[in-house]
Amino acid sequence: MNKQRRATLNQINELISNVYEDLECCKDQEEEYRDNMPENLQGSERYEKAEDAVNMLEEALESLQQAMDNIEEVVEQ
């Protein structure tokens, strides 16, 4: 891989890293929202939606991390 493509991939990885941080912040906020629901709302549809959102955001974070790892591996070759 040439120097220019490596530089482009490094820039892409940095962009993904920024998105990862923003997404992680959203996930943390949603977790806090869910965790601070009153007991009478736990098990409610609202709670389940918050739980689903947290799970989907965690999956998205895992995908972004995998993408960053893959790009890093390509750049190091």
Side-chain angles (χ1 to χ4, degrees):
M1 177 168 303
N2 70 21
K3 188 176 182 178
Q4 183 179 5
R5 281 193 295 273
R6 283 184 207 283
T8 299
L9 288 171
N10 284 326
Q11 288 175 342
I12 291 169
N13 233 11
E14 188 173 326
L15 291 171
I16 294 171
S17 178
N18 291 336
V19 170
Y20 184 96
E21 290 173 11
D22 291 344
L23 190 58
E24 190 171 40
C25 182
C26 289
K27 182 206 53 105
D28 291 345
Q29 290 172 353
E30 189 67 18
E31 274 183 322
E32 186 175 336
Y33 167 75
R34 179 203 62 201
D35 293 345
N36 289 321
M37 275 191 195
E39 282 188 37
N40 64 332
L41 289 179
Q42 292 179 6
S44 69
E45 184 178 345
R46 183 185 290 177
Y47 183 88
E48 293 300 320
K49 285 183 178 182
E51 180 72 20
D52 289 343
V54 169
N55 290 335
M56 288 186 276
L57 291 170
E58 286 175 345
E59 288 179 26
L61 287 167
E62 290 173 13
S63 296
L64 289 174
Q65 185 61 56
Q66 185 64 49
M68 288 186 296
D69 292 346
N70 289 344
I71 291 170
E72 193 174 303
E73 187 175 328
V74 167
V75 169
E76 290 176 358
Q77 291 181 353

